[in-house]
mmCIF file with all atom_site columns, all heavy atoms in Angstrom:
data_model
loop_
_atom_site.group_PDB
_atom_site.id
_atom_site.type_symbol
_atom_site.label_atom_id
_atom_site.label_alt_id
_atom_site.label_comp_id
_atom_site.label_asym_id
_atom_site.label_entity_id
_atom_site.label_seq_id
_atom_site.pdbx_PDB_ins_code
_atom_site.Cartn_x
_atom_site.Cartn_y
_atom_site.Cartn_z
_atom_site.occupancy
_atom_site.B_iso_or_equiv
_atom_site.pdbx_formal_charge
_atom_site.auth_seq_id
_atom_site.auth_comp_id
_atom_site.auth_asym_id
_atom_site.auth_atom_id
_atom_site.pdbx_PDB_model_num
ATOM 1   N N   . GLN A 1 37 ? 14.757 17.102 -4.737 1.00 91.00 ? 37 GLN A N   1
ATOM 2   C CA  . GLN A 1 37 ? 14.579 16.530 -6.072 1.00 91.00 ? 37 GLN A CA  1
ATOM 3   C C   . GLN A 1 37 ? 14.567 14.999 -6.011 1.00 91.00 ? 37 GLN A C   1
ATOM 4   O O   . GLN A 1 37 ? 13.814 14.350 -6.741 1.00 91.00 ? 37 GLN A O   1
ATOM 5   C CB  . GLN A 1 37 ? 15.640 17.057 -7.015 1.00 91.00 ? 37 GLN A CB  1
ATOM 6   C CG  . GLN A 1 37 ? 15.416 18.546 -7.257 1.00 91.00 ? 37 GLN A CG  1
ATOM 7   C CD  . GLN A 1 37 ? 16.240 19.112 -8.371 1.00 91.00 ? 37 GLN A CD  1
ATOM 8   O OE1 . GLN A 1 37 ? 16.659 18.400 -9.273 1.00 91.00 ? 37 GLN A OE1 1
ATOM 9   N NE2 . GLN A 1 37 ? 16.451 20.412 -8.329 1.00 91.00 ? 37 GLN A NE2 1
ATOM 10  N N   . GLU A 1 38 ? 15.361 14.435 -5.110 1.00 93.00 ? 38 GLU A N   1
ATOM 11  C CA  . GLU A 1 38 ? 15.343 12.985 -4.896 1.00 93.00 ? 38 GLU A CA  1
ATOM 12  C C   . GLU A 1 38 ? 13.973 12.556 -4.355 1.00 93.00 ? 38 GLU A C   1
ATOM 13  O O   . GLU A 1 38 ? 13.401 11.560 -4.792 1.00 93.00 ? 38 GLU A O   1
ATOM 14  C CB  . GLU A 1 38 ? 16.449 12.617 -3.902 1.00 93.00 ? 38 GLU A CB  1
ATOM 15  C CG  . GLU A 1 38 ? 16.540 11.171 -3.525 1.00 93.00 ? 38 GLU A CG  1
ATOM 16  C CD  . GLU A 1 38 ? 17.622 10.955 -2.476 1.00 93.00 ? 38 GLU A CD  1
ATOM 17  O OE1 . GLU A 1 38 ? 18.732 11.498 -2.625 1.00 93.00 ? 38 GLU A OE1 1
ATOM 18  O OE2 . GLU A 1 38 ? 17.334 10.244 -1.493 1.00 93.00 ? 38 GLU A OE2 1
ATOM 19  N N   . LEU A 1 39 ? 13.447 13.319 -3.423 1.00 93.00 ? 39 LEU A N   1
ATOM 20  C CA  . LEU A 1 39 ? 12.120 13.062 -2.877 1.00 93.00 ? 39 LEU A CA  1
ATOM 21  C C   . LEU A 1 39 ? 11.087 13.086 -4.005 1.00 93.00 ? 39 LEU A C   1
ATOM 22  O O   . LEU A 1 39 ? 10.245 12.203 -4.101 1.00 93.00 ? 39 LEU A O   1
ATOM 23  C CB  . LEU A 1 39 ? 11.797 14.113 -1.817 1.00 93.00 ? 39 LEU A CB  1
ATOM 24  C CG  . LEU A 1 39 ? 10.477 14.041 -1.089 1.00 93.00 ? 39 LEU A CG  1
ATOM 25  C CD1 . LEU A 1 39 ? 10.631 14.662 0.288  1.00 93.00 ? 39 LEU A CD1 1
ATOM 26  C CD2 . LEU A 1 39 ? 9.380  14.741 -1.839 1.00 93.00 ? 39 LEU A CD2 1
ATOM 27  N N   . ASP A 1 40 ? 11.178 14.085 -4.865 1.00 91.00 ? 40 ASP A N   1
ATOM 28  C CA  . ASP A 1 40 ? 10.253 14.233 -5.990 1.00 91.00 ? 40 ASP A CA  1
ATOM 29  C C   . ASP A 1 40 ? 10.296 13.015 -6.912 1.00 91.00 ? 40 ASP A C   1
ATOM 30  O O   . ASP A 1 40 ? 9.269  12.585 -7.424 1.00 91.00 ? 40 ASP A O   1
ATOM 31  C CB  . ASP A 1 40 ? 10.605 15.514 -6.752 1.00 91.00 ? 40 ASP A CB  1
ATOM 32  C CG  . ASP A 1 40 ? 9.583  15.854 -7.810 1.00 91.00 ? 40 ASP A CG  1
ATOM 33  O OD1 . ASP A 1 40 ? 8.414  16.031 -7.456 1.00 91.00 ? 40 ASP A OD1 1
ATOM 34  O OD2 . ASP A 1 40 ? 9.975  15.944 -8.997 1.00 91.00 ? 40 ASP A OD2 1
ATOM 35  N N   . ASP A 1 41 ? 11.479 12.441 -7.097 1.00 92.00 ? 41 ASP A N   1
ATOM 36  C CA  . ASP A 1 41 ? 11.623 11.262 -7.954 1.00 92.00 ? 41 ASP A CA  1
ATOM 37  C C   . ASP A 1 41 ? 10.955 10.024 -7.358 1.00 92.00 ? 41 ASP A C   1
ATOM 38  O O   . ASP A 1 41 ? 10.652 9.080  -8.078 1.00 92.00 ? 41 ASP A O   1
ATOM 39  C CB  . ASP A 1 41 ? 13.101 10.945 -8.200 1.00 92.00 ? 41 ASP A CB  1
ATOM 40  C CG  . ASP A 1 41 ? 13.782 11.961 -9.095 1.00 92.00 ? 41 ASP A CG  1
ATOM 41  O OD1 . ASP A 1 41 ? 13.085 12.681 -9.845 1.00 92.00 ? 41 ASP A OD1 1
ATOM 42  O OD2 . ASP A 1 41 ? 15.031 12.051 -9.032 1.00 92.00 ? 41 ASP A OD2 1
ATOM 43  N N   . ASN A 1 42 ? 10.752 10.028 -6.040 1.00 93.00 ? 42 ASN A N   1
ATOM 44  C CA  . ASN A 1 42 ? 10.249 8.840  -5.350 1.00 93.00 ? 42 ASN A CA  1
ATOM 45  C C   . ASN A 1 42 ? 8.772  8.915  -4.975 1.00 93.00 ? 42 ASN A C   1
ATOM 46  O O   . ASN A 1 42 ? 8.300  8.094  -4.188 1.00 93.00 ? 42 ASN A O   1
ATOM 47  C CB  . ASN A 1 42 ? 11.102 8.564  -4.109 1.00 93.00 ? 42 ASN A CB  1
ATOM 48  C CG  . ASN A 1 42 ? 12.491 8.102  -4.506 1.00 93.00 ? 42 ASN A CG  1
ATOM 49  O OD1 . ASN A 1 42 ? 12.631 7.144  -5.257 1.00 93.00 ? 42 ASN A OD1 1
ATOM 50  N ND2 . ASN A 1 42 ? 13.501 8.788  -4.036 1.00 93.00 ? 42 ASN A ND2 1
ATOM 51  N N   . VAL A 1 43 ? 8.059  9.885  -5.516 1.00 96.00 ? 43 VAL A N   1
ATOM 52  C CA  . VAL A 1 43 ? 6.615  9.978  -5.270 1.00 96.00 ? 43 VAL A CA  1
ATOM 53  C C   . VAL A 1 43 ? 5.886  10.082 -6.609 1.00 96.00 ? 43 VAL A C   1
ATOM 54  O O   . VAL A 1 43 ? 6.436  10.551 -7.596 1.00 96.00 ? 43 VAL A O   1
ATOM 55  C CB  . VAL A 1 43 ? 6.249  11.184 -4.365 1.00 96.00 ? 43 VAL A CB  1
ATOM 56  C CG1 . VAL A 1 43 ? 6.891  11.044 -2.990 1.00 96.00 ? 43 VAL A CG1 1
ATOM 57  C CG2 . VAL A 1 43 ? 6.591  12.514 -4.995 1.00 96.00 ? 43 VAL A CG2 1
ATOM 58  N N   . ASP A 1 44 ? 4.637  9.633  -6.590 1.00 95.00 ? 44 ASP A N   1
ATOM 59  C CA  . ASP A 1 44 ? 3.795  9.736  -7.783 1.00 95.00 ? 44 ASP A CA  1
ATOM 60  C C   . ASP A 1 44 ? 3.049  11.047 -7.861 1.00 95.00 ? 44 ASP A C   1
ATOM 61  O O   . ASP A 1 44 ? 2.637  11.466 -8.935 1.00 95.00 ? 44 ASP A O   1
ATOM 62  C CB  . ASP A 1 44 ? 2.763  8.608  -7.808 1.00 95.00 ? 44 ASP A CB  1
ATOM 63  C CG  . ASP A 1 44 ? 3.313  7.328  -8.401 1.00 95.00 ? 44 ASP A CG  1
ATOM 64  O OD1 . ASP A 1 44 ? 4.340  7.373  -9.101 1.00 95.00 ? 44 ASP A OD1 1
ATOM 65  O OD2 . ASP A 1 44 ? 2.702  6.274  -8.163 1.00 95.00 ? 44 ASP A OD2 1
ATOM 66  N N   . ALA A 1 45 ? 2.808  11.672 -6.690 1.00 96.00 ? 45 ALA A N   1
ATOM 67  C CA  . ALA A 1 45 ? 2.004  12.884 -6.689 1.00 96.00 ? 45 ALA A CA  1
ATOM 68  C C   . ALA A 1 45 ? 2.350  13.740 -5.483 1.00 96.00 ? 45 ALA A C   1
ATOM 69  O O   . ALA A 1 45 ? 2.811  13.238 -4.452 1.00 96.00 ? 45 ALA A O   1
ATOM 70  C CB  . ALA A 1 45 ? 0.516  12.543 -6.661 1.00 96.00 ? 45 ALA A CB  1
ATOM 71  N N   . ILE A 1 46 ? 2.103  15.039 -5.632 1.00 97.00 ? 46 ILE A N   1
ATOM 72  C CA  . ILE A 1 46 ? 2.245  16.001 -4.543 1.00 97.00 ? 46 ILE A CA  1
ATOM 73  C C   . ILE A 1 46 ? 0.839  16.411 -4.138 1.00 97.00 ? 46 ILE A C   1
ATOM 74  O O   . ILE A 1 46 ? 0.024  16.789 -4.985 1.00 97.00 ? 46 ILE A O   1
ATOM 75  C CB  . ILE A 1 46 ? 3.040  17.243 -4.987 1.00 97.00 ? 46 ILE A CB  1
ATOM 76  C CG1 . ILE A 1 46 ? 4.400  16.851 -5.566 1.00 97.00 ? 46 ILE A CG1 1
ATOM 77  C CG2 . ILE A 1 46 ? 3.221  18.203 -3.810 1.00 97.00 ? 46 ILE A CG2 1
ATOM 78  C CD1 . ILE A 1 46 ? 5.128  18.003 -6.247 1.00 97.00 ? 46 ILE A CD1 1
ATOM 79  N N   . LEU A 1 47 ? 0.564  16.340 -2.851 1.00 97.00 ? 47 LEU A N   1
ATOM 80  C CA  . LEU A 1 47 ? -0.745 16.669 -2.303 1.00 97.00 ? 47 LEU A CA  1
ATOM 81  C C   . LEU A 1 47 ? -0.663 18.006 -1.573 1.00 97.00 ? 47 LEU A C   1
ATOM 82  O O   . LEU A 1 47 ? 0.285  18.246 -0.822 1.00 97.00 ? 47 LEU A O   1
ATOM 83  C CB  . LEU A 1 47 ? -1.170 15.556 -1.333 1.00 97.00 ? 47 LEU A CB  1
ATOM 84  C CG  . LEU A 1 47 ? -2.466 15.716 -0.553 1.00 97.00 ? 47 LEU A CG  1
ATOM 85  C CD1 . LEU A 1 47 ? -3.668 15.790 -1.485 1.00 97.00 ? 47 LEU A CD1 1
ATOM 86  C CD2 . LEU A 1 47 ? -2.611 14.544 0.424  1.00 97.00 ? 47 LEU A CD2 1
ATOM 87  N N   . TYR A 1 48 ? -1.658 18.866 -1.808 1.00 96.00 ? 48 TYR A N   1
ATOM 88  C CA  . TYR A 1 48 ? -1.715 20.183 -1.173 1.00 96.00 ? 48 TYR A CA  1
ATOM 89  C C   . TYR A 1 48 ? -3.111 20.440 -0.620 1.00 96.00 ? 48 TYR A C   1
ATOM 90  O O   . TYR A 1 48 ? -4.101 19.987 -1.197 1.00 96.00 ? 48 TYR A O   1
ATOM 91  C CB  . TYR A 1 48 ? -1.454 21.307 -2.185 1.00 96.00 ? 48 TYR A CB  1
ATOM 92  C CG  . TYR A 1 48 ? -0.107 21.320 -2.823 1.00 96.00 ? 48 TYR A CG  1
ATOM 93  C CD1 . TYR A 1 48 ? 0.058  20.914 -4.148 1.00 96.00 ? 48 TYR A CD1 1
ATOM 94  C CD2 . TYR A 1 48 ? 1.014  21.780 -2.136 1.00 96.00 ? 48 TYR A CD2 1
ATOM 95  C CE1 . TYR A 1 48 ? 1.299  20.951 -4.757 1.00 96.00 ? 48 TYR A CE1 1
ATOM 96  C CE2 . TYR A 1 48 ? 2.252  21.820 -2.748 1.00 96.00 ? 48 TYR A CE2 1
ATOM 97  C CZ  . TYR A 1 48 ? 2.394  21.397 -4.050 1.00 96.00 ? 48 TYR A CZ  1
ATOM 98  O OH  . TYR A 1 48 ? 3.627  21.436 -4.649 1.00 96.00 ? 48 TYR A OH  1
ATOM 99  N N   . GLY A 1 49 ? -3.165 21.230 0.438  1.00 93.00 ? 49 GLY A N   1
ATOM 100 C CA  . GLY A 1 49 ? -4.399 21.893 0.814  1.00 93.00 ? 49 GLY A CA  1
ATOM 101 C C   . GLY A 1 49 ? -4.486 23.158 -0.029 1.00 93.00 ? 49 GLY A C   1
ATOM 102 O O   . GLY A 1 49 ? -3.508 23.585 -0.654 1.00 93.00 ? 49 GLY A O   1
ATOM 103 N N   . ARG A 1 50 ? -5.641 23.793 -0.056 1.00 92.00 ? 50 ARG A N   1
ATOM 104 C CA  . ARG A 1 50 ? -5.824 24.936 -0.942 1.00 92.00 ? 50 ARG A CA  1
ATOM 105 C C   . ARG A 1 50 ? -4.933 26.122 -0.600 1.00 92.00 ? 50 ARG A C   1
ATOM 106 O O   . ARG A 1 50 ? -4.419 26.793 -1.487 1.00 92.00 ? 50 ARG A O   1
ATOM 107 C CB  . ARG A 1 50 ? -7.293 25.383 -0.972 1.00 92.00 ? 50 ARG A CB  1
ATOM 108 C CG  . ARG A 1 50 ? -7.530 26.310 -2.161 1.00 92.00 ? 50 ARG A CG  1
ATOM 109 C CD  . ARG A 1 50 ? -8.604 27.328 -1.968 1.00 92.00 ? 50 ARG A CD  1
ATOM 110 N NE  . ARG A 1 50 ? -8.754 27.861 -0.647 1.00 92.00 ? 50 ARG A NE  1
ATOM 111 C CZ  . ARG A 1 50 ? -8.095 28.938 -0.184 1.00 92.00 ? 50 ARG A CZ  1
ATOM 112 N NH1 . ARG A 1 50 ? -7.227 29.569 -0.928 1.00 92.00 ? 50 ARG A NH1 1
ATOM 113 N NH2 . ARG A 1 50 ? -8.307 29.368 1.032  1.00 92.00 ? 50 ARG A NH2 1
ATOM 114 N N   . VAL A 1 51 ? -4.703 26.402 0.670  1.00 90.00 ? 51 VAL A N   1
ATOM 115 C CA  . VAL A 1 51 ? -3.885 27.559 1.047  1.00 90.00 ? 51 VAL A CA  1
ATOM 116 C C   . VAL A 1 51 ? -2.451 27.402 0.549  1.00 90.00 ? 51 VAL A C   1
ATOM 117 O O   . VAL A 1 51 ? -1.889 28.315 -0.063 1.00 90.00 ? 51 VAL A O   1
ATOM 118 C CB  . VAL A 1 51 ? -3.928 27.781 2.580  1.00 90.00 ? 51 VAL A CB  1
ATOM 119 C CG1 . VAL A 1 51 ? -2.933 28.850 3.002  1.00 90.00 ? 51 VAL A CG1 1
ATOM 120 C CG2 . VAL A 1 51 ? -5.335 28.160 3.023  1.00 90.00 ? 51 VAL A CG2 1
ATOM 121 N N   . VAL A 1 52 ? -1.862 26.234 0.766  1.00 92.00 ? 52 VAL A N   1
ATOM 122 C CA  . VAL A 1 52 ? -0.491 26.003 0.279  1.00 92.00 ? 52 VAL A CA  1
ATOM 123 C C   . VAL A 1 52 ? -0.494 25.955 -1.246 1.00 92.00 ? 52 VAL A C   1
ATOM 124 O O   . VAL A 1 52 ? 0.421  26.466 -1.895 1.00 92.00 ? 52 VAL A O   1
ATOM 125 C CB  . VAL A 1 52 ? 0.123  24.731 0.898  1.00 92.00 ? 52 VAL A CB  1
ATOM 126 C CG1 . VAL A 1 52 ? 1.501  24.442 0.316  1.00 92.00 ? 52 VAL A CG1 1
ATOM 127 C CG2 . VAL A 1 52 ? 0.212  24.868 2.420  1.00 92.00 ? 52 VAL A CG2 1
ATOM 128 N N   . TRP A 1 53 ? -1.538 25.375 -1.832 1.00 94.00 ? 53 TRP A N   1
ATOM 129 C CA  . TRP A 1 53 ? -1.647 25.352 -3.284 1.00 94.00 ? 53 TRP A CA  1
ATOM 130 C C   . TRP A 1 53 ? -1.601 26.773 -3.856 1.00 94.00 ? 53 TRP A C   1
ATOM 131 O O   . TRP A 1 53 ? -0.906 27.036 -4.839 1.00 94.00 ? 53 TRP A O   1
ATOM 132 C CB  . TRP A 1 53 ? -2.926 24.650 -3.732 1.00 94.00 ? 53 TRP A CB  1
ATOM 133 C CG  . TRP A 1 53 ? -3.201 24.872 -5.191 1.00 94.00 ? 53 TRP A CG  1
ATOM 134 C CD1 . TRP A 1 53 ? -4.157 25.683 -5.735 1.00 94.00 ? 53 TRP A CD1 1
ATOM 135 C CD2 . TRP A 1 53 ? -2.470 24.339 -6.299 1.00 94.00 ? 53 TRP A CD2 1
ATOM 136 N NE1 . TRP A 1 53 ? -4.074 25.678 -7.102 1.00 94.00 ? 53 TRP A NE1 1
ATOM 137 C CE2 . TRP A 1 53 ? -3.041 24.855 -7.470 1.00 94.00 ? 53 TRP A CE2 1
ATOM 138 C CE3 . TRP A 1 53 ? -1.393 23.477 -6.408 1.00 94.00 ? 53 TRP A CE3 1
ATOM 139 C CZ2 . TRP A 1 53 ? -2.577 24.524 -8.732 1.00 94.00 ? 53 TRP A CZ2 1
ATOM 140 C CZ3 . TRP A 1 53 ? -0.927 23.144 -7.666 1.00 94.00 ? 53 TRP A CZ3 1
ATOM 141 C CH2 . TRP A 1 53 ? -1.518 23.672 -8.809 1.00 94.00 ? 53 TRP A CH2 1
ATOM 142 N N   . ASP A 1 54 ? -2.343 27.678 -3.248 1.00 92.00 ? 54 ASP A N   1
ATOM 143 C CA  . ASP A 1 54 ? -2.354 29.064 -3.738 1.00 92.00 ? 54 ASP A CA  1
ATOM 144 C C   . ASP A 1 54 ? -0.959 29.660 -3.725 1.00 92.00 ? 54 ASP A C   1
ATOM 145 O O   . ASP A 1 54 ? -0.556 30.336 -4.676 1.00 92.00 ? 54 ASP A O   1
ATOM 146 C CB  . ASP A 1 54 ? -3.309 29.929 -2.905 1.00 92.00 ? 54 ASP A CB  1
ATOM 147 C CG  . ASP A 1 54 ? -4.768 29.637 -3.191 1.00 92.00 ? 54 ASP A CG  1
ATOM 148 O OD1 . ASP A 1 54 ? -5.077 28.967 -4.201 1.00 92.00 ? 54 ASP A OD1 1
ATOM 149 O OD2 . ASP A 1 54 ? -5.619 30.085 -2.382 1.00 92.00 ? 54 ASP A OD2 1
ATOM 150 N N   . MET A 1 55 ? -0.206 29.388 -2.657 1.00 90.00 ? 55 MET A N   1
ATOM 151 C CA  . MET A 1 55 ? 1.164  29.900 -2.569 1.00 90.00 ? 55 MET A CA  1
ATOM 152 C C   . MET A 1 55 ? 2.050  29.262 -3.646 1.00 90.00 ? 55 MET A C   1
ATOM 153 O O   . MET A 1 55 ? 2.787  29.952 -4.348 1.00 90.00 ? 55 MET A O   1
ATOM 154 C CB  . MET A 1 55 ? 1.742  29.621 -1.178 1.00 90.00 ? 55 MET A CB  1
ATOM 155 C CG  . MET A 1 55 ? 3.177  30.108 -1.013 1.00 90.00 ? 55 MET A CG  1
ATOM 156 S SD  . MET A 1 55 ? 3.864  29.763 0.614  1.00 90.00 ? 55 MET A SD  1
ATOM 157 C CE  . MET A 1 55 ? 4.040  27.983 0.571  1.00 90.00 ? 55 MET A CE  1
ATOM 158 N N   . MET A 1 56 ? 1.965  27.955 -3.786 1.00 92.00 ? 56 MET A N   1
ATOM 159 C CA  . MET A 1 56 ? 2.811  27.247 -4.750 1.00 92.00 ? 56 MET A CA  1
ATOM 160 C C   . MET A 1 56 ? 2.464  27.621 -6.189 1.00 92.00 ? 56 MET A C   1
ATOM 161 O O   . MET A 1 56 ? 3.350  27.852 -7.012 1.00 92.00 ? 56 MET A O   1
ATOM 162 C CB  . MET A 1 56 ? 2.681  25.730 -4.552 1.00 92.00 ? 56 MET A CB  1
ATOM 163 C CG  . MET A 1 56 ? 3.088  25.253 -3.169 1.00 92.00 ? 56 MET A CG  1
ATOM 164 S SD  . MET A 1 56 ? 4.803  25.574 -2.769 1.00 92.00 ? 56 MET A SD  1
ATOM 165 C CE  . MET A 1 56 ? 5.575  24.177 -3.539 1.00 92.00 ? 56 MET A CE  1
ATOM 166 N N   . SER A 1 57 ? 1.175  27.681 -6.504 1.00 93.00 ? 57 SER A N   1
ATOM 167 C CA  . SER A 1 57 ? 0.767  27.963 -7.879 1.00 93.00 ? 57 SER A CA  1
ATOM 168 C C   . SER A 1 57 ? 0.992  29.421 -8.265 1.00 93.00 ? 57 SER A C   1
ATOM 169 O O   . SER A 1 57 ? 0.992  29.753 -9.453 1.00 93.00 ? 57 SER A O   1
ATOM 170 C CB  . SER A 1 57 ? -0.687 27.568 -8.112 1.00 93.00 ? 57 SER A CB  1
ATOM 171 O OG  . SER A 1 57 ? -1.559 28.347 -7.327 1.00 93.00 ? 57 SER A OG  1
ATOM 172 N N   . ALA A 1 58 ? 1.214  30.278 -7.289 1.00 92.00 ? 58 ALA A N   1
ATOM 173 C CA  . ALA A 1 58 ? 1.555  31.675 -7.591 1.00 92.00 ? 58 ALA A CA  1
ATOM 174 C C   . ALA A 1 58 ? 3.033  31.830 -7.935 1.00 92.00 ? 58 ALA A C   1
ATOM 175 O O   . ALA A 1 58 ? 3.426  32.823 -8.549 1.00 92.00 ? 58 ALA A O   1
ATOM 176 C CB  . ALA A 1 58 ? 1.209  32.572 -6.398 1.00 92.00 ? 58 ALA A CB  1
#
Side-chain angles (χ1 to χ4, degrees):
Q37 292 191 24
E38 178 183 314
L39 181 152
D40 188 59
D41 290 339
N42 291 306
V43 298
D44 276 342
I46 305 170
L47 176 62
Y48 297 106
R50 195 210 34 89
V51 172
V52 176
W53 168 254
D54 287 346
M55 179 181 70
M56 300 298 277
S57 64

